[in-house]
Amino acid sequence: VPDPPKSQDPPKAEKAAAAKEDKKEAGEGGKKEKKEKKEKAPAPAAAPAEAQPEWTKLDIRVGELTKTWPHPDSEKLWCEEIAVGEEAPRQVCSGLRAHYGAEEFCAGRKVVVVCNLKPAKMAGFESQGMVLCAATPDHSKVELLSVPAGAAVGERVFIEGISGEPFAPNQVDKKKVLKNVLPELSTDANKVACWQGK
């Protein structure tokens, strides 16, 4: 009887060596893929916030007085409710009693309002905005800014040629945006309000 044919399988030692080579190749392949992921180009950086004009960081809108009354605890302050295009009017406090009587500072009058300031207490009354006015250097004469005919309540006040989304109230306060804008507000020879002469 002839001997049975010998097995063609490689010895166990050879199998183990082959398995190690396979793992090594797989490992090297995995490392290569990870390396390729690291070489991806980074996303372009966002434009710095400083590039946005200061004026556009404020939410300045056309408002309309809906109710006004003297502050009960201050002779200098008017309390008012102002419609600014939201569901309900905002309550605002203005130090204008020395410059405007009840017949002038009354419901129906349009004003210009800064709407993204943090609420502040004025003699115990919470003010949710600020009415903009023009004044002489010594503040002996103060006048409300006039709103152009046809301007809609809630309409944002823009300056031609510049744009940007207004900041949140906390950011306006933190970045001192109002403090930066006010020194550059003025009126020209025709009593038109300007910022940086625009």
Side-chain angles (χ1 to χ4, degrees):
V1 179
D3 292 335
K6 292 182 179 180
S7 172
Q8 298 301 314
D9 291 340
K12 287 184 180 179
E14 291 180 9
K15 285 184 177 180
K20 285 181 182 178
E21 288 298 321
D22 290 343
K23 284 182 181 177
K24 185 177 178 182
E25 288 177 7
E28 288 174 353
K31 286 178 184 176
K32 188 176 180 183
E33 286 177 6
K34 286 180 182 177
K35 188 175 180 182
E36 286 174 356
K37 286 181 182 178
K38 288 180 182 177
E39 290 173 357
K40 284 184 179 179
E50 289 75 9
Q52 182 178 346
E54 290 291 301
W55 171 268
T56 66
K57 298 174 185 178
L58 293 177
D59 184 9
I60 300 176
R61 303 184 215 165
V62 174
E64 184 176 321
L65 301 174
T66 59
K67 183 181 178 182
T68 63
W69 65 98
H71 193 296
D73 300 321
S74 174
E75 295 180 355
K76 297 179 180 180
L77 301 174
W78 279 110
C79 299
E80 59 257 22
E81 290 184 357
I82 308 177
V84 290
E86 298 170 341
E87 288 185 11
R90 289 193 183 206
Q91 61 177 31
V92 177
C93 201
S94 305
L96 296 171
R97 289 263 299 274
H99 306 283
Y100 285 91
E103 68 283 353
E104 296 173 291
F105 199 70
C106 59
R109 180 163 191 155
K110 285 186 176 179
V111 290
V112 179
V113 187
V114 184
C115 293
N116 59 338
L117 303 178
K118 286 179 70 175
K121 294 279 187 179
M122 298 181 70
F125 183 88
E126 184 178 85
S127 184
Q128 301 166 343
M130 186 176 75
V131 174
L132 288 180
C133 301
T136 55
D138 62 359
H139 283 246
S140 59
K141 187 175 182 180
V142 177
E143 293 183 8
L144 291 163
L145 296 186
S146 298
V147 176
V153 171
E155 184 177 342
R156 192 174 171 208
V157 178
F158 285 99
I159 293 174
E160 188 175 355
I162 61 174
S163 61
E165 289 301 310
F167 278 18
N170 284 342
Q171 284 296 99
V172 170
D173 183 61
K174 183 179 179 181
K175 302 290 185 181
K176 296 180 170 47
V177 176
L178 185 65
K179 186 179 178 180
N180 295 336
V181 168
L182 289 178
E184 297 183 300
L185 281 176
S186 61
T187 54
D188 63 15
N190 297 316
K191 293 188 176 182
V192 175
C194 304
W195 177 69
Q196 295 184 342
K198 302 172 185 174

